[in-house]
Amino acid sequence: MITAEFDYVAPTSLDDVFRALRSDEDAKLLAGGHSLLPLMKVRLAVPSLLVDLRHVPGLRGIERANGDWRIGPLTRHADLQVRDDLGVLALTAGLIADQQVRNRGTIGGSLAHGDSASDLPTVLVAAEGAVTVRTAAGAEREIAAADLFQDYLTTAVAPDEVITSVRFPALDGWGYAYEKFTRRAEDWAMVGVCALVKRGPDGGCEDVRVALTNMGSTPLRAPAVESALRGGGLDAGAIQAAADQAAEGTDPPADLNASTEYKRHLARVLTRRALERAIN
Ligand SMILES: Cc1cc2nc3c(=O)[nH]c(=O)nc-3n(C[C@H](O)[C@H](O)[C@H](O)COP(=O)(O)OP(=O)(O)OC[C@H]3O[C@@H](n4cnc5c(N)ncnc54)[C@H](O)[C@@H]3O)c2cc1C
């Protein structure tokens, strides 16, 4: 299918981006286009103006400051996947779709789009990161990952706001894993699990975070798994017992690929695998 007609501008400053957004209430920001354009082709999104962010300076790049990574929203999945020092973020970016998608898709676009089957939102939730948005009035506010994802394709970023930075805690010393189950290679996650584990001096579990992809309308933490492990041992029995609780409190809708019960089964299996990888 082809899109409805639309206008296109490519501003070279954030001020001009906001001017363009103000000029048309049906305007939409464009980053890599790999989520928005497919929606436009099936007319689930019908913006009358696309405001391309790609020529705005200062919106891409990766820097480290005060224990956090600061990542520009236009930084592509392909830029993240080659940065081993980013840990779980690099690992997960490399598991998104195929190289063609990773060469265009951006971290800011993925987080703003808020698809619960996407991988990076889950990792941001597990890492307790945040995004900074600039408002139309020129102010800035930080939105914690826990508050960012509100419902299917719905985030706390207002239509006239722009994500200008992503804050991702560096998580030095934490083990990590992202397990993703797909029907075909390079597909969307049927279910995904991000596990982050900090071991104490005795080798036990000092802290742990587990978050789930595609188990609800937003990425979800798995609090029962976390409390089962935190402060205890990390032997195979403890991990199995904790992972068995991964689907607690979730009610994922069935889709073409998996029933609700199968997704809950996958969450348990993938959580065990992710925890095992994260501690090795
Ligand atoms: C075939 C295919 C397979 C895919 N498989 C996966 C997968 O397995 N896992 C996965 O996670 N993703 C997958 N994706 C999605 C891909 O990662 C997208 O590129 C990404 O989700 C959106 O990034 P984008 O830069 O393309 O955003 P765009 O499509 O340009 O924009 C998406 C939304 O974000 C808004 N937006 C963009 N930038 C900003 C900003 N700075 N501030 C505020 N709002 C902004 C736009 O207005 C739009 O509403 C797939 C895509 C395709 C086409």
Side-chain angles (χ1 to χ4, degrees):
M1 284 188 63
I2 54 171
T3 66
E5 268 190 28
F6 60 89
D7 289 325
Y8 169 89
V9 290
T12 53
S13 72
L14 266 183
D15 286 344
D16 286 344
V17 168
F18 285 111
R19 253 189 288 280
L21 288 177
R22 271 197 300 273
S23 74
D24 184 334
E25 63 176 24
D26 290 323
K28 255 204 156 317
L29 298 170
L30 177 71
H34 269 47
S35 289
L36 181 55
L37 295 183
L39 285 187
M40 289 171 64
K41 285 186 171 182
V42 293
R43 312 243 171 149
L44 284 174
V46 193
S48 45
L49 173 66
L50 286 189
V51 183
D52 194 339
L53 290 171
R54 282 176 302 167
H55 299 290
V56 178
L59 293 184
R60 67 185 85 220
I62 302 166
E63 282 172 13
R64 181 157 172 162
N66 305 325
D68 288 325
W69 293 105
R70 288 268 169 195
I71 301 170
L74 288 188
T75 307
R76 302 166 313 148
H77 309 326
D79 303 317
L80 301 174
Q81 78 180 103
V82 295
R83 288 287 300 259
D84 287 345
D85 50 346
L86 294 176
V88 69
L89 198 51
L91 169 77
T92 308
L95 297 174
I96 294 173
D98 50 40
Q99 196 60 48
Q100 205 177 350
V101 172
R102 298 195 291 271
N103 283 343
R104 303 289 297 197
T106 67
I107 185 168
S110 177
L111 299 175
H113 190 57
D115 186 337
S116 60
S118 287
D119 301 297
L120 296 182
T122 304
V123 175
L124 194 77
V125 165
E128 299 185 351
V131 297
T132 299
V133 297
R134 182 144 154 212
T135 69
E140 282 197 333
R141 66 184 181 115
E142 188 177 90
I143 308 173
D147 303 322
L148 178 60
F149 305 104
Q150 299 190 328
D151 204 345
Y152 286 106
L153 304 184
T154 307
T155 69
V157 181
D160 60 350
E161 290 180 329
V162 179
I163 296 177
T164 51
S165 172
V166 180
R167 182 173 64 74
F168 191 85
L171 298 169
D172 297 327
W174 289 64
Y176 60 83
Y178 186 79
E179 288 287 319
K180 174 173 176 175
F181 192 81
T182 57
R183 201 159 62 85
R184 300 171 307 185
E186 302 181 336
D187 231 338
W188 292 87
M190 217 182 272
V191 172
V193 177
C194 179
L196 306 171
V197 182
K198 186 173 188 195
R199 301 187 85 152
D202 61 351
C205 178
E206 188 176 308
D207 202 358
V208 59
R209 317 247 185 85
V210 174
L212 311 172
T213 302
N214 211 16
M215 286 293 289
S217 61
T218 62
L220 299 173
R221 285 283 281 268
V225 179
E226 296 178 2
S227 21
L229 283 176
R230 197 173 287 118
L234 286 166
D235 55 89
I239 285 181
Q240 179 71 65
D244 283 347
Q245 302 178 56
E248 218 171 81
T250 67
D251 188 18
D255 56 34
L256 282 177
N257 289 317
S259 65
T260 295
E261 203 32 61
Y262 186 51
K263 284 190 182 176
R264 290 165 59 89
H265 167 74
L266 282 177
R268 291 187 283 267
V269 172
L270 297 177
T271 296
R272 177 181 51 74
R273 288 186 195 161
L275 288 166
E276 284 168 355
R277 281 202 183 198
I279 63 168
N280 284 314

